[in-house]
Amino acid sequence: MAAKRKQHTAAFQAQVALAALKGDRTVNELASQSAVHPTLIHGWKKQLLAEADQVFSNGSQAAAGDAEAEKAELFEQIGRRKMELEWLNKKVGPIS
């Protein structure tokens, strides 16, 4: 019977990859300390370097998305207020 493959959390992978990038210890030392194969650490390190730019780009995209959502909400409120004003003008009549 085959052993079930161990799945590591993203936080663990990031921690080991960052330690590998630091260069304080060798990959083999990190592998024995964290009980993973050195090939995994090399892969995690490559993945971290390849996707590091997305960490900063997602923040700006999220901020832009929040700004767009706030803008849409404000336009919705303006439209609602305009409709209320038109309704009041129709019921009460223009104020001179």
Side-chain angles (χ1 to χ4, degrees):
M1 187 171 167
K4 188 175 178 183
R5 298 177 96 186
K6 185 171 182 178
Q7 292 190 355
H8 303 284
T9 64
F12 175 76
Q13 292 175 0
Q15 182 181 10
V16 173
L18 284 172
L21 281 174
K22 268 186 179 177
D24 295 343
R25 290 172 272 162
T26 65
V27 173
N28 287 331
E29 289 173 344
L30 287 170
S32 64
Q33 182 183 11
S34 54
V36 295
H37 198 273
T39 306
L40 280 176
I41 295 177
H42 285 295
W44 295 341
K45 185 176 166 183
K46 283 182 183 178
Q47 185 179 2
L48 179 65
L49 290 173
E51 297 176 5
D53 61 338
Q54 293 178 1
V55 171
F56 297 106
S57 67
N58 286 343
S60 63
Q61 289 176 354
D66 290 345
E68 288 295 322
E70 186 178 353
K71 187 176 178 182
E73 183 180 340
L74 291 174
F75 278 124
E76 184 179 326
Q77 287 179 4
I78 289 171
R80 217 177 299 125
R81 301 289 187 244
K82 191 174 181 181
M83 297 262 309
E84 289 173 0
L85 183 62
E86 288 174 7
W87 182 81
L88 284 172
N89 282 336
K90 192 183 294 183
K91 290 292 181 184
V92 176
I95 299 175
S96 4

